[in-house]
């Protein structure tokens, strides 16, 4: 038992040392301080099991002495050991949180040891009761939050569904109305419609409607993510997933918090990572909890969070690493950081549940979580997961110069499917990845800068080792001569934009023989 004795009188300190040395059942490690300031320094270093405190010190007197020690380490039991035989003071000390009030000269070794043991046990019982109450309160809050999120998601779903149902109708109306508008524009050369000339409308309106449909789909996906996140999931419900997809989903959920905090985020995702057997929602929650924890640890305007994924060849494990340049972890709680309700952010509203939940979810996936921290410089949490390399995962390469379409398609292909998905923004980059990534299915746009889709198709035809790649063509101009040229080369899986995602996913599955 490590005991901190804060006592100015050297004779009393010597006597206490001798008394504790006589104790047979319990070995004591006595740390002594003759001033309150020195005692507080020892407390800040951690590892103290109990404090024996005199109230009359050179730098502090009376109950203020107790209050300052209690504020420094409220989790450590304090026994007042003083020469002040004052019943009123004793009652006040106990009311303020002291575990006992002993009078010097009236204490023998057995009484002292028993008082310290009881003090520690009472403190533990108090903390256990408080944790139970907080856990019950937190459970009620989470249940209410889940109900609120589900309700909000339902309310958002209604207008989003209305938008998504009406956009195809607007497309049909535009298709039917375009010849009438063109005829009117030919007669009235300087006419404008909504302040825009007809040529601009003819060239861009179809794409504008497609962009609206894509944006509405993204909102619907975000609402679905929120509903899934609010819903309790069965951790035992596992299937092969891509760790990078879980990270991206968590990043989307954390995007608002990151944006408001002004913290710079760096994302470094490993390529071609093997699949892992996991519950996707649980992995998302692990990543989200660690990102929020990193954000809350930063208390300056130069905040930086780095999220990295990778694969360790030596033990065949995937890892997720999340680093911050925040305040670091208080050494006094580092050994019990993953216990429920352990936090050094009580004054900021911290509950201490996030890391405890994270630890349990990692454990449920046979994983391991470690951390490295330096006070005032930051913390790095690293989570390791085992992989089960069964069958070779299919590789898909998405090539399109339009980032929004490319990102939407990449997410749709990787969600809930054991496929490895990569992307390229032009034909040159695509040809480089054909030689290194070697996809099973190539989804290719035709009209791109630097090198178009036709040249990519010619490259595939020329290179014998690329002959087994299945190619799906996407284009906004299905009647263009280049499309016919690609068809003559033998690439006949051609889809006109805007594309129904479900149709494209079925086409990919067909190419893979699913």
């Amino acid at each position: 038992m490590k005991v901190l004795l804060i006592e100015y009188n050297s004779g009393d300190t010597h006597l206490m040392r001798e008394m504790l040395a006589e104790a047979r059942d319990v070995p004591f490690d006595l740390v002594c301080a003759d001033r309150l300031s020195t005692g507080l320094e020892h407390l800040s270093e951690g590892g103290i099991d109990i404090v024996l405190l005199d109230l009359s010190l050179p730098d502090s007197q009376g109950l203020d002495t107790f209050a300052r020690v209690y504020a420094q380490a409220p989790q450590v039991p304090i026994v007042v050991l003083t020469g002040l035989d004052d019943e009123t003071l004793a009652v006040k000390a106990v009311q303020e949180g002291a575990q006992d009030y002993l009078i010097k000269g009236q204490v023998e070794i057995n009484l002292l040891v028993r008082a310290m043991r009881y003090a520690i046990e009472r403190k533990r019982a108090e903390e256990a009761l408080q944790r139970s109450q907080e856990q019950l309160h937190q459970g009620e809050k989470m249940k209410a939050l889940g109900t609120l999120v589900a309700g909000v998601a339902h309310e958002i779903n209604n207008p989003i569904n209305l938008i998504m149902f009406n956009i195809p109708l607007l497309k049909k109306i535009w298709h039917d109305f375009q010849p009438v508008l063109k005829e009117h524009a030919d007669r009235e050369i300087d006419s404008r419609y909504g302040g825009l000339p007809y040529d601009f409308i003819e060239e861009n309106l179809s794409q504008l409607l497609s962009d609206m449909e894509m944006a509405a789909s993204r909102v619907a996906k975000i609402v679905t993510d929120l509903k899934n996140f609010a819903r309790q999931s069965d951790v035992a419900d596992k299937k092969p997933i891509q760790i990078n997809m879980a990270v991206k989903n968590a990043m989307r959920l954390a995007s608002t918090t990151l944006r408001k905090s002004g913290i710079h985020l760096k994302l470094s995702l490993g390529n071609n990572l093997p699949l892992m057997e996991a519950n996707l929602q649980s992995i998302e929650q692990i990543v989200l909890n660690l990102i929020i924890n990193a954000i809350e640890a930063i208390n300056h305007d130069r905040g930086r969070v780095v999220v990295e994924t990778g694969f360790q060849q030596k033990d065949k494990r995937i890892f997720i690493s999340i680093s911050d340049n925040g305040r670091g972890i208080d050494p006094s709680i580092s050994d019990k950081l993953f216990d429920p309700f352990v936090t050094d952010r009580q004054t900021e509203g911290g509950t201490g549940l996030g890391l405890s939940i994270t630890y349990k979810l990692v454990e449920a996936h046979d994983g391991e979580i470690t951390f490295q921290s330096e006070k005032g410089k930051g913390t790095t949490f690293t989570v390791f997961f085992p992989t089960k390399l069964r069958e070779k995962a299919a590789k898909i390469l998405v090539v399109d110069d339009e980032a929004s379409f490319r990102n939407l398609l990449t997410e749709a292909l990787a969600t809930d499917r054991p496929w490895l998905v990569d992307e390229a923004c032009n034909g040159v980059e695509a040809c480089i990845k054909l030689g290194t990534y070697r996809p099973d299915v190539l989804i290719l746009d035709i009209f791109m800068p630097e090198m178009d889709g036709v040249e990519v198709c010619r490259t595939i035809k020329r290179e014998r080792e690329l002959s087994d790649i299945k190619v799906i063509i996407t284009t906004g101009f299905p009647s263009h001569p280049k499309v016919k040229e690609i068809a003559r080369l033998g690439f006949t899986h051609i889809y006109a934009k805007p594309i129904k995602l479900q149709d494209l996913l079925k086409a990919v599955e067909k190419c893979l023989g699913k």
Side-chain angles (χ1 to χ4, degrees):
M1 188 184 296
K2 191 169 185 177
V3 181
L4 172 62
L5 174 64
I6 306 179
E7 171 64 65
Y8 176 65
N9 189 301
S10 59
D12 289 339
T13 300
H14 179 71
L15 179 62
M16 191 60 56
R17 192 184 298 277
E18 287 186 344
M19 289 179 65
L20 293 178
E22 293 175 10
R24 297 177 181 177
D25 297 337
V26 183
F28 290 96
D29 178 11
L30 186 64
V31 178
C32 299
D34 60 359
R35 279 172 170 71
L36 178 62
S37 57
T38 309
L40 295 178
E41 289 177 6
H42 285 301
L43 273 176
S44 67
E45 295 170 0
I48 301 298
D49 295 305
I50 190 168
V51 176
L52 297 178
L53 177 66
D54 190 4
L55 297 181
S56 300
L57 300 169
D59 53 351
S60 184
Q61 295 289 318
L63 277 179
D64 183 60
T65 305
F66 171 81
R68 292 171 64 184
V69 174
Y70 186 82
Q72 177 77 12
Q75 76 280 4
V76 179
I78 303 170
V79 173
V80 175
L81 184 60
T82 180
L84 300 171
D85 190 357
D86 185 334
E87 187 68 22
T88 302
L89 183 63
V91 171
K92 286 183 178 180
V94 172
Q95 288 175 341
E96 293 292 325
Q99 294 298 320
D100 212 334
Y101 189 98
L102 304 178
I103 310 300
K104 294 178 183 178
Q106 300 179 13
V107 180
E108 47 87 24
I109 181 60
N110 292 330
L111 174 62
L112 180 62
V113 171
R114 188 163 61 249
M116 287 194 293
R117 280 180 167 174
Y118 289 176
I120 291 174
E121 290 305 318
R122 277 196 302 272
K123 190 68 175 178
R124 288 175 179 170
E126 288 174 7
E127 291 177 348
L129 178 59
Q130 185 178 1
R131 282 197 298 269
S132 297
Q133 291 173 338
E134 290 177 351
Q135 197 163 13
L136 178 61
H137 180 59
Q138 187 68 18
E140 292 171 347
K141 283 171 60 179
M142 292 301 290
K143 183 178 179 181
L145 179 62
T147 303
L148 176 64
V149 168
V152 170
H154 176 73
E155 291 302 318
I156 295 175
N157 260 342
N158 290 335
I160 284 298
N161 284 335
L162 186 64
I163 293 171
M164 293 180 70
F165 289 151
N166 285 340
I167 288 176
L169 178 61
L170 288 175
K171 287 183 176 181
K172 291 177 182 178
I173 292 173
W174 166 239
H175 182 267
D176 293 341
F177 187 65
Q178 185 179 1
V180 178
L181 190 64
K182 185 178 188 310
E183 183 180 338
H184 182 272
D186 289 341
R187 289 198 313 267
E188 306 289 339
I189 298 176
D190 295 328
S191 294
R192 288 180 171 265
Y193 309 92
L196 300 172
Y198 172 77
D199 290 344
F200 179 88
I201 295 173
E202 181 184 31
E203 184 178 351
N204 295 283
L205 188 58
S206 293
Q207 188 61 51
L208 290 173
L209 290 171
S210 297
D211 290 345
M212 289 168 60
E213 188 173 34
M214 191 183 306
S217 298
R218 288 185 66 84
V219 173
K221 179 67 169 64
I222 291 170
V223 171
T224 301
D225 288 342
L226 285 172
K227 290 170 68 177
N228 290 339
F229 189 74
R231 188 178 67 243
Q232 292 294 324
S233 67
D234 183 3
V235 176
D237 181 18
K238 300 176 182 177
K239 58 185 177 182
I241 69 164
Q242 290 184 331
I243 195 73
N244 287 350
M245 180 53 59
V247 172
K248 289 178 180 178
N249 290 349
M251 295 300 303
R252 186 163 55 247
L253 291 168
S255 60
T256 301
T257 305
L258 278 165
R259 189 165 55 250
K260 288 182 178 179
S261 68
I263 291 171
H264 174 70
L265 175 75
K266 180 181 178 183
L267 195 60
S268 178
L269 302 181
N271 293 322
N272 302 329
L273 298 181
L275 301 178
M276 61 175 287
E277 288 281 336
N279 178 279
L280 179 62
Q281 182 187 342
S282 297
I283 304 302
E284 290 171 3
Q285 186 171 0
I286 289 170
V287 178
L288 183 62
N289 286 352
L290 292 176
I291 290 174
I292 298 300
N293 188 74
I295 293 171
E296 292 176 346
I298 297 172
N299 54 2
H300 52 77
D301 57 3
R302 305 176 310 281
R304 186 184 72 255
V305 174
V306 180
V307 181
E308 181 182 2
T309 62
F311 177 68
Q312 292 191 143
Q313 191 65 41
K314 60 180 181 181
D315 56 10
K316 309 295 184 187
R317 293 196 298 177
I318 302 172
F319 69 84
I320 307 170
S321 172
I322 299 176
S323 304
D324 66 71
N325 62 341
R327 74 184 83 178
I329 295 170
D330 191 328
S332 65
I333 65 169
S334 61
D335 59 338
K336 46 186 180 290
L337 188 64
F338 298 112
D339 291 348
F341 306 104
V342 173
T343 178
D344 57 356
R345 301 176 194 151
Q346 295 96 337
T347 58
E348 302 162 25
T351 64
L353 277 175
L355 289 178
S356 176
I357 294 171
T358 299
Y359 182 85
K360 291 182 181 299
L361 291 174
V362 171
E363 194 177 43
H365 286 81
D366 300 319
E368 178 189 3
I369 181 169
T370 64
F371 69 91
Q372 293 179 323
S373 185
E374 189 172 351
K375 192 80 171 177
K377 293 190 176 180
T379 303
T380 298
F381 283 93
T382 306
V383 185
F384 301 92
F385 293 111
T387 58
K388 295 182 179 180
L389 302 174
R390 297 176 179 174
E391 56 180 314
K392 183 181 177 182
K395 294 181 180 181
I396 301 171
L397 179 61
V398 179
V399 184
D400 199 299
D401 63 323
E402 187 181 336
S404 58
F405 177 79
R406 191 173 67 246
N407 293 338
L408 180 64
L409 189 54
T410 300
E411 288 185 11
L413 288 165
T415 301
D416 296 333
R417 291 172 177 81
W419 298 340
L420 298 174
V421 184
D422 203 352
E423 56 186 276
C425 63
N426 58 56
V428 174
E429 188 178 345
C431 287
I432 293 172
K433 291 197 173 184
L434 286 175
T436 55
Y437 183 69
R438 194 62 60 83
D440 299 293
V441 177
L442 171 66
I443 300 176
L444 180 67
D445 187 26
I446 295 180
F447 298 97
M448 297 179 294
E450 299 185 42
M451 178 189 287
D452 63 14
V454 177
E455 289 301 317
V456 175
C457 290
R458 286 173 180 160
T459 300
I460 293 173
K461 293 295 288 186
R462 284 196 304 266
E463 303 294 335
R464 181 174 296 180
E465 60 269 23
L466 302 179
S467 60
D468 57 344
I469 295 176
K470 303 293 191 301
V471 180
I472 296 174
I473 303 298
T474 63
T475 179
F477 304 93
S479 59
H480 197 278
K482 286 190 175 183
V483 177
K484 296 178 181 178
E485 185 177 352
I486 283 179
R488 284 196 297 271
L489 289 171
F491 301 99
T492 56
H493 297 293
I494 301 171
Y495 289 81
K497 296 179 180 178
I499 304 168
K500 289 184 178 179
L501 281 177
Q502 204 58 39
D503 292 344
L504 191 60
L505 293 173
K506 288 179 181 178
V508 173
E509 290 176 348
K510 186 175 180 180
C511 288
L512 293 172
K514 300 294 184 182

